[in-house]
Amino acid sequence: QDKTNFRKYIIEFEKDEEESFQLFIPAGAITDIFGNINDTLDYKFNTRPLDFYATISMEILGVKENSIVQILTEKDLVVQEKPIVSDTVLLFDYLAPFKYKLKLFYDSNGNGKWDTGNYKEMKQPERVFFYPYFPELLETKSNIDIENTWELYPETNANENRPKTKSTTTDD
């Protein structure tokens, strides 16, 4: 059972590349909070080869307080999430070859989620940063490692309208 969502269960098991699996749950094995029982569930799925996946290594500079870093899809679905407390290098691995963006928000109250603030209490929302800079996305490809540096408070040149970033791509 997931510790943060009691209605969610995580099934962990050992798996290898390009292996086939079947998850079978017989009728009546699961009952929801309304007393409804499940029909028979039969799922078949395969693992992919390791060279299908991409990796993003992100050096994050300028972290001023406890933060959460998320890697998001184009539709803002969270793929991975990691807490940080200072400047660090994060590794996001086993990423399908898609376009992503990174989101960092200061977790000022330590609750592990972004808070919108409170108008009545005159409390500002927790600060948010995105990488790459809107509206661009970070594109990954199979068997490619991407190494980037993300400066939260970069120095900008008067002739440039975007902060400087360093990016390298390596093919394993």
Side-chain angles (χ1 to χ4, degrees), residues 65-91:
E65 60 181 278
N66 291 345
S67 303
I68 305 288
V69 179
Q70 300 173 325
I71 187 158
L72 309 169
T73 65
E74 290 181 273
K75 297 184 179 190
D76 291 334
L77 299 172
V78 177
V79 177
Q80 292 182 36
E81 179 176 276
K82 298 182 181 191
I84 61 173
V85 295
S86 62
D87 292 359
T88 190
V89 176
L90 290 180
L91 183 66

Side-chain angles (χ1 to χ4, degrees), residues 23 82 92 100 116 120 146 151:
L23 174 63
K82 298 182 181 191
F92 296 98
Y100 298 99
T116 59
K120 287 182 181 178
I146 298 173
E151 295 183 39

Side-chain angles (χ1 to χ4, degrees), residues 11-54:
I11 300 172
E12 293 184 6
F13 57 97
E14 289 190 29
K15 46 201 160 291
D16 289 320
E17 295 181 68
E18 301 183 67
E19 194 171 2
S20 297
F21 294 93
Q22 179 178 8
L23 174 63
F24 178 79
I25 302 173
I30 301 171
T31 305
D32 70 12
I33 60 173
F34 302 108
N36 300 317
I37 58 172
N38 69 290
D39 289 334
T40 298
L41 302 170
D42 190 10
Y43 294 103
K44 294 178 180 158
F45 53 97
N46 300 312
T47 57
R48 295 189 181 256
L50 288 177
D51 63 3
F52 169 79
Y53 298 101

Side-chain angles (χ1 to χ4, degrees), residues 3-4 6-7 22-23 30 33 43 45 51 56 60 68 85-86 99 102 121 125 140 142 154 156 162 165:
K3 293 176 184 170
T4 60
F6 297 112
R7 296 183 298 169
Q22 179 178 8
L23 174 63
I30 301 171
I33 60 173
Y43 294 103
F45 53 97
D51 63 3
I56 296 175
I60 302 174
I68 305 288
V85 295
S86 62
K99 293 180 180 179
L102 281 103
E121 295 176 12
T140 61
S142 289
T156 56
R162 329 176 1 160
T165 61

Side-chain angles (χ1 to χ4, degrees), residues 57-61 102 130-134 136-138 146-157 160-169:
S57 175
M58 184 66 66
E59 179 182 21
I60 302 174
L61 304 173
L102 281 103
F130 285 95
Y131 183 93
Y133 304 98
F134 185 79
E136 295 177 34
L137 296 168
L138 191 59
I146 298 173
E147 297 178 2
N148 281 17
T149 299
W150 182 8
E151 295 183 39
L152 300 181
Y153 301 96
E155 295 179 25
T156 56
N157 184 328
E160 297 177 6
N161 58 5
R162 329 176 1 160
K164 295 179 182 178
T165 61
K166 178 182 87 174
S167 178
T168 59
T169 303

